[in-house]
Amino acid sequence: MNLILLGAPGAGKGTQGKTLSESYSIPQISTGDILRANVRNKTPLGQKAREYMDKGALVPDDVVVNMVVDRIRQDDCLNGFILDGFPRNLNQASVLETTLKGMGKKIDLAIGIDVEKKELVRRLSGRRVCRKCGASYHVIFNPPVNIGMCDKCGSEIYQRDDDKEETIEARLNVYEQETMPLIEFYSAKGLYRSIDGIGPVDKITKAITDAIAEGNDNL
């Protein structure tokens, strides 16, 4: 199964992607995680990507597409994969479709996790990350025991530049302009399913797995 998770920043794609990856034993491919790792390690790709990420803008298509395609070609993707945060626009979707076709693969389903903008801002602006081990927290939903300190390693936790309110607005605007058309793209192919992203995590997971089961029945 080759699955795409669509949704605005903060919709919960990462959380659901991890759960689905464990349930179906296929890798979760998160462009956000890969890009942030490159930024953290100060690789050439990371230096280039950071210029855009700090502004809340999308990283250029050529950088992202090449990175994702290389990942899909790895052996652990032979039985399927979950794309989290990719594609982000119609150009990326088109290149992905062409590339997969050349590999004898295709996208089986695109799941959209829907969350209203006000809730997205609340979720994103409260996120915090450990500088050393990368553990994630939230000032409302999952605060650390000691303010400003990681529970796991004791290092400083901080707010990423792309989780600050002024940047969040830019990120959501970019999403609406660039990514929303993907709903029409995959709907036209009969591959799109919309899921309500408000509520308990396990309830959302159940809705997604039900959509996947229904989609597999129709394959």
Side-chain angles (χ1 to χ4, degrees), residues 66-140:
N66 288 333
M67 178 181 64
V68 173
V69 168
D70 286 344
R71 180 67 184 87
I72 289 174
R73 293 185 187 279
Q74 295 181 20
D75 291 343
D76 63 342
C77 292
L78 290 175
N79 293 324
F81 52 80
I82 300 168
L83 293 178
D84 166 13
F86 180 89
R88 288 188 172 179
N89 56 49
L90 292 177
N91 180 55
Q92 291 182 359
S94 179
V95 173
L96 175 65
E97 185 175 57
T98 300
T99 302
L100 290 180
K101 185 176 182 180
M103 299 167 63
K105 298 177 181 289
K106 63 181 178 63
I107 294 300
D108 296 312
L109 206 61
I111 301 287
I113 304 176
D114 296 330
V115 179
E116 64 180 12
K117 191 171 184 177
K118 182 178 179 179
E119 174 63 14
L120 292 171
V121 173
R122 186 170 79 109
R123 291 182 182 182
L124 291 171
S125 62
R127 295 201 302 196
R128 300 293 185 272
V129 180
C130 175
R131 288 190 184 277
K132 184 175 181 180
C133 72
S136 297
Y137 299 90
H138 194 283
V139 295
I140 298 175

Side-chain angles (χ1 to χ4, degrees), residues 31-203:
T31 53
D33 288 346
I34 296 172
L35 284 170
R36 281 189 288 273
N38 277 273
V39 170
R40 197 164 52 245
N41 296 326
K42 298 181 179 180
T43 66
L45 172 63
Q47 298 285 3
K48 183 176 181 181
R50 181 162 191 167
E51 297 176 13
Y52 297 86
M53 294 170 70
D54 286 351
K55 298 175 184 176
L58 295 181
V59 177
D61 287 351
D62 60 333
V63 175
V64 181
V65 170
N66 288 333
M67 178 181 64
V68 173
V69 168
D70 286 344
R71 180 67 184 87
I72 289 174
R73 293 185 187 279
Q74 295 181 20
D75 291 343
D76 63 342
C77 292
L78 290 175
N79 293 324
F81 52 80
I82 300 168
L83 293 178
D84 166 13
F86 180 89
R88 288 188 172 179
N89 56 49
L90 292 177
N91 180 55
Q92 291 182 359
S94 179
V95 173
L96 175 65
E97 185 175 57
T98 300
T99 302
L100 290 180
K101 185 176 182 180
M103 299 167 63
K105 298 177 181 289
K106 63 181 178 63
I107 294 300
D108 296 312
L109 206 61
I111 301 287
I113 304 176
D114 296 330
V115 179
E116 64 180 12
K117 191 171 184 177
K118 182 178 179 179
E119 174 63 14
L120 292 171
V121 173
R122 186 170 79 109
R123 291 182 182 182
L124 291 171
S125 62
R127 295 201 302 196
R128 300 293 185 272
V129 180
C130 175
R131 288 190 184 277
K132 184 175 181 180
C133 72
S136 297
Y137 299 90
H138 194 283
V139 295
I140 298 175
F141 307 120
N142 180 36
V145 174
N146 296 310
I147 296 176
M149 183 180 296
C150 178
D151 295 343
K152 295 183 179 181
C153 70
S155 298
E156 177 192 6
I157 62 173
Y158 74 109
Q159 183 181 44
R160 294 184 333 213
D161 287 339
D162 56 349
D163 286 337
K164 294 179 179 177
E165 286 200 27
E166 59 271 24
T167 309
I168 290 171
E169 288 292 336
R171 293 173 67 195
L172 294 178
N173 289 336
V174 169
Y175 172 77
E176 291 176 359
Q177 295 168 12
E178 296 281 339
T179 313
M180 287 290 282
L182 290 174
I183 293 177
E184 296 181 8
F185 180 82
Y186 288 110
S187 293
K189 298 177 181 296
L191 301 178
Y192 183 75
R193 303 290 186 277
S194 177
I195 300 298
D196 184 0
I198 299 294
V201 172
D202 56 352
K203 179 181 178 182

